[in-house]
């Protein structure tokens, strides 16, 4: 949640800095000296947006997954490893156990 | 439940080869009722076949398993319309036939297909499955051995052979089949566990104890930050420690041990026994993690405390 908050703030700050730059450049153009430098607070705002964005993206990342083979094996079961689906029998007690009483179909 | 999460659930079942037919049926039924299988049939590409169609196939098989053949017929019709001359569809039709028709009909259907193309592995496997189910075990084993001679790397086939031999109490043949599985998939602790238990059943305790300890090594020796004293055995590690305990007990009982595989007996079997006892106590004492392991705690504590021999 904090990650998303930071990311939103960073996006807004960046957009605000971009708009301020545009306004400042049009002001300079109107005043007739198009080569003026950018005011420092816009620069600080964009750097702040960068830092906040980095923090937000890192905190917003999905939980880390294990990469070792042993950890993958911990998630598996014997039923999955020994299922031999190519040889599975499809004539089982399933149709008697799971047929719902409402259908009347077997 | 959203469509995306349902499909992810079905995909997880496929990836783990689970045969959870009731759950798949329940989830897939919702998707089918929204007729979304057809919609996303063409997106979500996965290894060439769009994920929607593999999910539909999985759902069709689950409905055959659960007994809802009407829904299975609907799905099979959809699949057959989309992929007219596919061998995979032939296999599905065969399975549907197996569910209601007498086995001779299904066997004849498979024989026809195998005549046309004798290397159709899926159909051959179905044939072997029908032979096994109807009790023609010898024929099933012969065909299976032929299949494995042709396709050596078929792990499923070797596992099935091991299972059939174990069913007939021929545990050393079962172990030989499992040794091929271990050659093909050496990094899988589940197959090592199965081999260890088969070795135990064929009374080869020295080999069994070695393999049980290999399972422990594979599944538990990973936590390098934690000392062994602090880590709790979970999952099949507990089963392996039970195996070690059983083996040490039997080794202590027979002084002259005959090992079919000429494995030497372990030198410190009393120490191994103590270690196994301690590990089992730890496994059954941890109430915090995975609380269900703590069930049966008293029985386990009583059993591990009985002295050797």
């Amino acid at each position: 949640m904090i990650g998303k908050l930071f990311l939103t703030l960073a996006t807004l700050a960046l957009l605000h800095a971009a708009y301020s730059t545009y306004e400042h450049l049009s002001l300079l153009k109107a005043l007739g000296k198009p080569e003026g430098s950018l005011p420092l607070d816009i620069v600080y705002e964009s750097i702040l947006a960068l830092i906040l964005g980095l923090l937000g993206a890192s905190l917003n990342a999905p939980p880390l997954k294990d990469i070792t083979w042993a950890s993958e094996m911990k998630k598996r079961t014997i039923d999955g490893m020994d299922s031999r689906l190519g040889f599975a029998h499809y004539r089982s007690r399933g149709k008697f156990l799971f047929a719902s009483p409402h259908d009347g179909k077997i | 439940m959203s469509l995306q999460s349902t499909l992810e659930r079905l995909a997880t079942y496929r990836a783990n080869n689970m045969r959870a037919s009731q759950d798949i049926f329940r989830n897939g039924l919702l998707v089918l009722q929204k007729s979304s299988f057809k919609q996303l049939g063409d997106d979500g590409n996965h290894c060439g076949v769009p994920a929607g169609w593999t999910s539909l196939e999985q759902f069709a098989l689950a409905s055959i398993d659960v007994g809802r053949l009407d829904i299975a017929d609907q799905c099979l019709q959809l699949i057959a319309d989309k992929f007219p001359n596919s061998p995979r569809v032939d296999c599905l039709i065969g399975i549907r036939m197996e569910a209601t028709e007498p086995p001779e009909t299904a066997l004849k259907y498979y024989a026809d297909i195998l005549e046309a193309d004798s290397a159709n592995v899926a159909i051959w496997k179905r044939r072997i499955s029908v032979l096994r189910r109807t009790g023609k075990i010898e024929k099933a084993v012969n065909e299976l051995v032929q299949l494995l001679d042709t396709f050596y790397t078929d792990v499923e086939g070797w596992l099935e052979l091991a299972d059939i031999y174990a069913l007939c109490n021929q545990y050393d043949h079962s172990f030989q089949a499992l040794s091929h599985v271990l050659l093909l998939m050496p990094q899988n602790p589940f197959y090592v566990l199965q081999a260890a238990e088969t070795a135990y059943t064929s009374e080869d305790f020295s080999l069994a104890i070695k393999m049980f300890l290999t399972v422990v090594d594979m599944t538990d020796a990973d936590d390098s930050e934690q000392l062994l004293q602090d880590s709790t055995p979970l999952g099949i590690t507990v089963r392996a420690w039970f195996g070690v305990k059983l083996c040490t007990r039997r080794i202590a009982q027979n002084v002259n041990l005959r090992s079919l595989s000429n494995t030497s007996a372990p030198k410190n079997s009393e120490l191994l026994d103590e270690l196994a006892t301690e590990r089992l106590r730890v496994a059954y004492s941890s109430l915090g993690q995975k609380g269900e392991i703590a069930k049966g705690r008293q029985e386990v504590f009583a059993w591990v405390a009985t002295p050797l021999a």
Side-chain angles (χ1 to χ4, degrees):
Chain A
M1 203 215 71
I2 295 230
K4 289 195 176 56
L5 182 68
F6 278 1
L7 269 180
T8 330
L9 285 178
T11 318
L12 289 174
L14 195 61
L15 287 174
H16 181 253
Y19 188 67
S20 313
T21 317
Y22 164 72
E23 269 194 342
H24 187 257
L25 281 182
S26 16
L27 176 69
L28 290 182
K29 226 185 274 191
L31 289 180
K33 30 177 176 137
E35 285 309 316
S37 67
L38 206 54
L40 269 182
D41 45 350
I42 296 187
V43 177
Y44 291 155
E45 188 174 6
S46 10
I47 293 182
L48 181 71
L50 174 69
I51 295 176
L52 269 185
L54 279 175
L55 276 173
S58 320
L59 292 170
N60 199 25
L64 298 173
K65 293 192 233 192
D66 283 313
I67 55 170
T68 59
W69 184 258
S71 59
E72 175 64 27
M73 286 290 117
K74 280 199 216 301
K75 295 191 201 124
R76 305 292 191 99
T77 64
I78 292 183
D79 280 334
M81 287 295 174
D82 203 30
S83 60
R84 293 172 263 130
L85 289 173
F87 294 97
H89 299 192
Y90 285 96
R91 201 147 178 178
S92 61
R93 291 164 281 188
K95 68 182 175 199
F96 302 107
L97 286 174
F98 298 125
S100 129
H102 306 295
D103 317 319
K105 296 181 199 170
I106 286 223
Chain B
M1 190 176 276
S2 76
L3 181 66
Q4 190 60 30
S5 56
T6 312
L7 287 172
E8 267 170 37
R9 205 185 163 96
L10 293 182
T12 318
Y13 279 136
R14 271 202 307 274
N16 293 348
N17 282 333
M18 295 286 294
R19 195 184 166 176
S21 298
Q22 204 183 7
D23 200 31
I24 293 175
F25 179 73
R26 235 188 343 207
N27 286 326
L29 195 59
L30 301 169
V31 180
L32 185 72
Q33 279 163 352
K34 294 187 216 157
S35 73
S36 312
F37 273 123
K38 262 204 307 191
Q39 259 178 359
L40 50 83
D42 297 319
D43 349 303
N45 217 312
H46 179 72
C47 300
V49 182
W53 293 105
T54 37
S55 301
L56 187 58
E57 178 190 21
Q58 182 186 18
F59 174 64
L61 291 174
S63 20
I64 294 181
D65 228 359
V66 161
R68 296 293 302 270
L69 295 169
D70 48 340
I71 297 191
D73 282 330
Q74 268 182 32
C75 301
L76 286 180
Q77 195 56 45
L78 285 172
I79 298 178
D81 289 337
K82 172 78 178 175
F83 303 101
N85 285 326
S86 154
R88 203 161 153 177
V89 173
D90 288 336
C91 195
L92 287 175
I93 295 176
I95 291 176
R96 171 69 184 81
M97 206 183 283
E98 277 179 48
T100 44
E101 313 283 330
E104 292 78 25
T105 323
L107 279 175
K108 185 170 179 316
Y109 175 71
Y110 292 140
D112 288 338
I113 300 185
L114 283 175
E115 240 181 71
D117 172 24
S118 68
N120 191 336
V121 187
I123 299 284
W124 206 349
K125 286 187 181 177
R126 294 307 321 156
R127 189 176 138 85
I128 294 171
S129 159
V130 173
L131 288 171
R132 178 188 177 166
R133 181 165 57 83
T134 51
K136 306 194 181 84
I137 304 265
E138 219 179 81
K139 201 146 179 261
V141 168
N142 287 335
E143 295 256 340
L144 189 50
V145 167
Q146 252 187 330
L147 175 82
L148 292 169
D149 275 339
T150 324
F151 299 100
Y152 178 76
T153 50
D154 193 9
V155 176
E156 220 181 39
W158 285 112
L159 283 173
E160 181 74 9
L161 187 64
D163 193 54
I164 295 181
Y165 277 137
L167 193 71
C168 308
N169 297 337
Q170 294 181 11
Y171 297 109
D172 37 2
H173 286 127
S174 177
F175 187 81
Q176 284 172 17
L178 284 172
S179 64
H180 288 282
V181 174
L182 289 178
L183 267 180
L184 291 168
M185 302 201 73
Q187 73 285 66
N188 195 321
F190 291 90
Y191 301 142
V192 184
L193 184 69
Q194 194 178 351
E197 292 177 350
T198 312
Y200 177 83
T201 319
S202 50
E203 311 231 321
D204 194 342
F205 303 118
S206 340
L207 182 60
I209 201 173
K210 270 200 182 148
M211 297 190 95
F212 280 125
L213 291 171
T214 314
V215 176
V216 171
D217 194 20
M218 276 184 185
T219 54
D220 215 15
D222 209 27
D223 310 308
S224 42
E225 313 95 49
Q226 270 180 325
L227 295 172
L228 189 62
Q229 290 92 289
D230 299 335
S231 69
T232 319
L234 296 168
I236 62 170
T237 320
V238 181
R239 200 162 155 151
W241 282 120
F242 270 120
V244 173
K245 181 85 187 161
L246 283 171
C247 283
T248 52
R249 199 162 272 189
R250 295 294 283 260
I251 289 174
Q253 280 170 0
N254 326 17
V255 180
N256 44 347
L257 216 47
R258 241 183 357 100
S259 164
L260 282 170
S261 57
N262 293 327
T263 325
S264 51
K267 288 187 283 260
N268 307 320
S269 72
E270 300 83 20
L271 294 175
L272 281 173
D273 184 64
E274 271 180 45
L275 179 62
T277 312
E278 187 265 331
R279 293 276 87 208
L280 284 173
R281 285 203 183 115
V282 169
Y284 277 83
S285 307
S286 56
L287 297 164
Q289 281 181 343
K290 297 202 188 261
E292 60 261 21
I293 289 189
K295 264 191 242 166
R297 185 168 168 233
Q298 270 182 326
E299 286 81 7
V300 173
F301 272 57
W303 181 69
V304 300
T306 57
L308 274 183

